[in-house]
Amino acid sequence: MQGEDGTGLTAVVLRALYEVPDDEWLDTALLVEALRKNLPTHEARLIELLLLQLLDQAALILAEYQAADVETSPETSRTHYHILLGVKGASDGSDDTPLPGTRLRLTPLGRHGLREYLLAEGVPAPLIGELADADAPTLLEALLDYDPASAHAEITGWINHRSQGPAAVQLIDACAGLEADAALRRLSAAPVLAELDEPRALAVLRKAAASQVPGCAQSAAIALAGRGEIPEGHGPELQLWGLIDQLWGPLGVADNALSAFLDQEGDKVMPLLEQTADDLWRCDHPATRAVLEAAGRHLKTRDKVLAKRLRKSATKVGSQRRQ
């Protein structure tokens, strides 16, 4: 059920359990319902039942070792068993009635043990607060593996540990450079910079935006623009630069990383690509051509028209300088 890279079903379930905040409950029925969404209808119901049976058994084992608190109805296992036997016609896969599940909540002992297991299996399992003393590059690299809620909690703790002014200086310094790994740091830095609102921190951003330091100037300007403040020397081209830079980070890791990023962030990125595809060639980001070519390649099956526009835009990169 689990591959060598820790991305199998077991890892998904355990990571979901780990990500539930302290003192909150995980409903196994809701989790399994989410996992079955992309399965064929005739298979989904049976797989849902089998998974619930396995999760119910795992919950009892966790409870036995005091790793989790468990709440279950006496009817839960009986209902699952009867449906598996065909008493309620599960074999036709047509019944979408929600099934009863088990609720479980990790104890401190269970959270510690589960984290150790996930880390040993190569599955990211961040411990909120562990990065409070980390420098900005370390924080930004680690945030790439966080879910949004955990990232927000970690960011808040990191900023509070040093106050906003020094935090802004460290973050902007970490955004310097135009190589792909610097673009990944900027990708992580965006939500952190968005948290800064104190006068001293904003002064740091304004100074950086007015500088000529590649990466730093654009990151600071984009953060200020998000607050409705367009810094002097920056205009509409800032949006183009930011979009190319967002895609450059994952592309620098690997082609399939860019594809995964487009899948994950499609709701945010695709409308921007649609809106700016014909103008992106004007962007002065050094990775513009590479990004447009790669995005055009990856979007060919999803949106042929957009993919063609991006590839056409790629052929124009540098034409302004040649004229």
Side-chain angles (χ1 to χ4, degrees):
M1 292 174 70
Q2 179 170 334
E4 294 178 359
D5 60 353
T7 57
L9 180 60
T10 303
V12 171
V13 172
L14 292 179
R15 178 66 190 265
L17 178 57
Y18 183 78
E19 288 176 356
V20 175
D22 290 338
D23 298 323
E24 292 190 17
W25 296 84
L26 174 71
D27 189 322
T28 58
L30 295 179
L31 174 61
V32 170
E33 185 179 354
L35 291 174
R36 64 170 270 188
K37 280 184 178 177
N38 294 324
L39 294 173
T41 303
H42 66 282
E43 297 177 7
R45 190 64 160 179
L46 181 58
I47 291 175
E48 181 181 14
L49 288 162
L50 292 172
L51 286 176
L52 282 172
Q53 291 284 87
L54 291 172
L55 288 171
D56 289 348
Q57 293 171 17
L60 293 176
I61 294 173
L62 289 171
E64 184 179 348
Y65 285 94
Q66 299 183 337
D69 300 320
V70 176
E71 287 186 354
T72 186
S73 164
E75 296 297 318
T76 299
S77 295
R78 189 180 309 156
T79 300
H80 297 172
Y81 182 66
H82 284 174
I83 298 177
L84 280 172
L85 291 177
V87 173
K88 295 190 177 181
S91 58
D92 63 6
S94 61
D95 186 6
D96 286 328
T97 305
L99 294 173
T102 296
R103 296 204 319 155
L104 62 158
R105 175 179 61 188
L106 287 175
T107 64
L109 173 64
R111 184 168 295 279
H112 173 77
L114 181 52
R115 181 171 188 267
E116 293 298 313
Y117 173 79
L118 290 171
L119 292 174
E121 293 296 312
V123 181
L127 182 65
I128 304 303
E130 66 178 346
L131 296 171
D133 291 318
D135 59 20
T138 301
L139 170 75
L140 298 179
E141 182 179 349
L143 288 178
L144 294 170
D145 290 326
Y146 279 57
D147 65 278
S150 298
H152 184 267
E154 192 67 70
I155 288 167
T156 301
W158 187 87
I159 293 173
N160 291 340
H161 192 67
R162 54 193 37 76
S163 80
Q164 288 202 12
V169 172
Q170 291 183 42
L171 289 166
I172 289 298
D173 286 346
C175 289
L178 296 175
E179 62 278 5
D181 58 350
L184 281 176
R185 290 195 297 273
R186 287 190 288 273
L187 189 62
S188 287
V192 192
L193 293 171
E195 295 284 331
L196 304 179
D197 56 6
E198 294 180 1
R200 189 177 173 190
L202 295 177
V204 170
L205 295 181
R206 293 185 186 109
K207 183 177 179 180
S211 75
Q212 300 296 315
V213 181
C216 295
Q218 291 86 353
S219 293
I222 290 170
L224 290 169
R227 302 179 58 81
E229 178 181 337
I230 305 299
E232 187 177 349
H234 297 276
E237 75 283 350
L238 189 63
Q239 183 188 43
L240 304 182
W241 199 97
L243 180 55
I244 292 294
D245 201 57
Q246 279 188 61
L247 301 178
W248 173 225
L251 177 59
V253 174
D255 248 21
N256 59 353
L258 174 61
S259 183
F261 180 78
L262 288 170
D263 289 339
Q264 183 178 347
E265 302 293 331
D267 291 344
K268 299 176 185 177
V269 174
M270 293 296 287
L272 289 174
L273 286 174
E274 285 272 5
Q275 178 185 342
T276 61
D278 301 323
D279 295 315
L280 280 169
W281 64 273
R282 303 177 188 275
C283 179
D284 64 356
H285 195 298
T288 299
R289 184 191 295 275
V291 166
L292 291 176
E293 290 175 344
R297 212 168 41 246
H298 286 293
L299 293 175
K300 219 179 344 184
T301 55
R302 184 190 302 187
D303 189 329
K304 290 183 179 180
V305 174
L306 177 58
K308 185 177 180 179
R309 290 170 63 198
L310 291 171
R311 293 196 301 273
K312 183 178 179 179
S313 195
T315 64
K316 297 182 180 180
V317 174
S319 61
Q320 284 181 313
R321 292 187 290 272
R322 292 193 296 267
Q323 290 175 357

